[in-house]
Amino acid sequence: MRRMIAIGVLVLGAVAAAGSPVVTLYSGGFGYVRELREVELAWEGDLLLDGLPLTMLVDSLVVDGLTVARVDPLERGSTAIEDLVGARVTVFAHGERFAGRLLATGPGLVLATADGLMFLSSYDRIVAPLPVEPPLVDHLSLKVRYRDAQPGRTEIGVRYLAEGLSWNVTYTATLADAALQLRGVVAVENRTGVEFRGAQVSLVAGEVYRPTAKAPEGLGVRALALSSEYEAAPAFEYHRYTFPEPLDLTPGVAWAPFICGTLSFTRAYRFSGGAVEVRVRFTNALAPLPAGEIRFYDEGEELFVGAAAIGHTPLGSDVDLAVGAAFDLTGERVQESRQRITDALYRDTYRIALRSAKDAPVEVEVVETLPGTWTIIDPSLPYERLDAQRVLFRVLVPAGGTADVHYTVEWQY
């Protein structure tokens, strides 16, 4: 199966070139897109990011290489100033009226008039004829206000999550005597409405917990990207978070950078009767964290590896989050016997079998939930009591091998 998937990636990525977009697809119906864009910058100004999918999760957008002050989606179905280049317009500026063909926009306007070229560093308003037909918009455009940039031609990185990207593999198995010939065909689906030409495509196999945010249904998303510093202070039995600068909360959704810091974390594996979960654990040493979703990336932010939600988390609290299911670890829970000792007393025997395809040994936490009032007898490994109904066994699973834990429990209601 891995060989078939690798062949699909090789074919799809064969036409990719330097500077091409990098698209990572997940079978859950979403993707992670990274691209480089060559832009002309001033010290500060507005930059138009065009050709983005309507299905993108706008709050996942990151612009590398710029200090972003604000992000505004442009009206869908409306005409931006940049769309008027080449049209005849009337510009009102400094109490005067100028008519001509609009040649360029940016920090100012360049207008071709009957008297020659005119540069307007500022203006009050522009009047242009209505288009014969409303523009057909099949993509999202964002206006990015930036500051503290190095003037000149440069490259910036743009990355985001988007719905509407998915893949699947179809297999054909041919049997002949005692042999089986397996062929796989990978199908990649792009329903974002945007083309990714020359893209470097990779496919992620495994159960990755998808982000819960949805692409916006209409206009109204606003990004107010101010300082990431804020004041967190107790307020009654809660915490209040105050930003250092005023925010213009226009209609729609608004967001801003909130907190930034570095924490140590550990990775763990846990089996509770279903898939073997991959868990990320850390201690909150930054500040009181309000409830929300955490999206995890790996490999230098090149790979999205899962999402999980946290509740309101005080300073110093331990956080333990499941981000996905381990591809190379499986588990099975088997009830081997049950005896009824009395009308209310039972004796059950269980076996938990773990299997690993990894190339190094790993520890898997096995969590068992027990009914009623219980007593464990004859366990094959030591256990920890987590609470009134749960116990934990720590099982070392060898590389490419299996490991079992078994126990007998007597319980009554």
Side-chain angles (χ1 to χ4, degrees), residues 165-230:
L165 293 166
S166 61
W167 69 277
N168 64 80
V169 177
T170 302
Y171 299 99
T172 301
T174 303
L175 303 178
D177 297 328
L180 183 152
Q181 183 186 34
L182 187 67
R183 298 193 303 270
V185 177
V186 61
V188 176
E189 186 173 9
N190 176 7
R191 294 183 291 103
T192 65
V194 172
E195 292 184 346
F196 300 99
R197 291 185 176 272
Q200 301 174 26
V201 178
S202 60
L203 312 175
V204 174
E207 186 180 349
V208 177
Y209 296 173
R210 61 173 296 139
T212 58
K214 296 295 183 183
E217 294 296 333
L219 184 71
V221 181
R222 294 290 185 268
L224 308 177
L226 303 177
S227 170
S228 61
E229 297 180 357
Y230 62 93

Side-chain angles (χ1 to χ4, degrees), residues 45-354:
D46 291 334
L47 180 67
L48 179 67
L49 292 182
D50 207 357
L52 298 169
L54 294 174
T55 59
M56 75 174 288
L57 307 187
V58 181
D59 63 351
S60 72
L61 173 70
V62 175
V63 181
D64 295 313
L66 278 183
T67 301
V68 176
R70 183 182 175 93
V71 176
D72 288 292
L74 301 180
E75 290 278 354
R76 294 179 185 174
S78 67
T79 301
I81 295 176
E82 292 82 359
D83 297 331
L84 297 177
V85 172
R88 297 196 62 82
V89 299
T90 302
V91 181
F92 295 84
H94 315 296
E96 297 186 61
R97 173 177 173 174
F98 307 93
R101 186 175 301 277
L102 184 62
L103 299 182
T105 65
L109 303 179
V110 178
L111 202 64
T113 69
D115 298 326
L117 295 178
M118 178 172 293
F119 175 77
L120 298 173
S121 60
S122 62
Y123 57 93
D124 298 320
R125 60 192 175 97
I126 297 178
V127 177
L130 289 173
V132 177
E133 296 181 357
L136 178 61
V137 178
D138 57 359
H139 62 268
L140 180 65
S141 298
L142 301 177
K143 184 175 72 173
V144 178
R145 181 167 299 169
Y146 63 90
R147 52 183 169 82
D148 304 327
Q150 184 66 36
R153 200 74 178 172
T154 188
E155 280 189 342
I156 61 171
V158 178
R159 47 193 172 93
Y160 52 87
L161 295 170
E163 296 183 319
L165 293 166
S166 61
W167 69 277
N168 64 80
V169 177
T170 302
Y171 299 99
T172 301
T174 303
L175 303 178
D177 297 328
L180 183 152
Q181 183 186 34
L182 187 67
R183 298 193 303 270
V185 177
V186 61
V188 176
E189 186 173 9
N190 176 7
R191 294 183 291 103
T192 65
V194 172
E195 292 184 346
F196 300 99
R197 291 185 176 272
Q200 301 174 26
V201 178
S202 60
L203 312 175
V204 174
E207 186 180 349
V208 177
Y209 296 173
R210 61 173 296 139
T212 58
K214 296 295 183 183
E217 294 296 333
L219 184 71
V221 181
R222 294 290 185 268
L224 308 177
L226 303 177
S227 170
S228 61
E229 297 180 357
Y230 62 93
E231 179 184 355
F236 189 56
E237 292 297 321
Y238 317 111
H239 286 276
R240 175 183 294 162
Y241 304 87
T242 304
F243 287 87
E245 301 178 40
L247 303 180
D248 294 329
L249 298 180
T250 54
V253 180
W255 74 91
F258 188 71
I259 192 170
C260 181
T262 303
L263 295 168
S264 299
F265 80 96
T266 58
R267 187 188 308 180
Y269 302 99
R270 174 168 288 192
F271 176 72
S272 301
V276 178
E277 290 184 324
V278 182
R279 306 186 73 87
V280 173
R281 293 170 177 168
F282 61 88
T283 300
N284 175 25
L286 296 180
L289 301 178
E293 182 180 73
I294 300 181
R295 298 166 183 172
F296 293 91
Y297 299 82
D298 200 2
E299 299 183 7
E301 296 189 345
E302 291 186 358
L303 185 70
F304 171 73
V305 296
I310 61 170
H312 298 299
T313 305
L315 188 67
S317 296
D318 293 330
V319 180
D320 185 356
L321 301 173
V323 300
F327 194 94
D328 292 327
L329 293 172
T330 57
E332 181 183 21
R333 184 176 190 261
V334 179
Q335 182 177 346
E336 294 186 327
S337 66
R338 162 165 288 187
Q339 293 178 271
R340 184 172 182 175
I341 309 303
T342 67
D343 288 344
L345 180 63
Y346 295 85
R347 179 183 297 154
D348 297 339
T349 299
Y350 293 93
R351 178 176 61 86
I352 295 90
L354 301 171

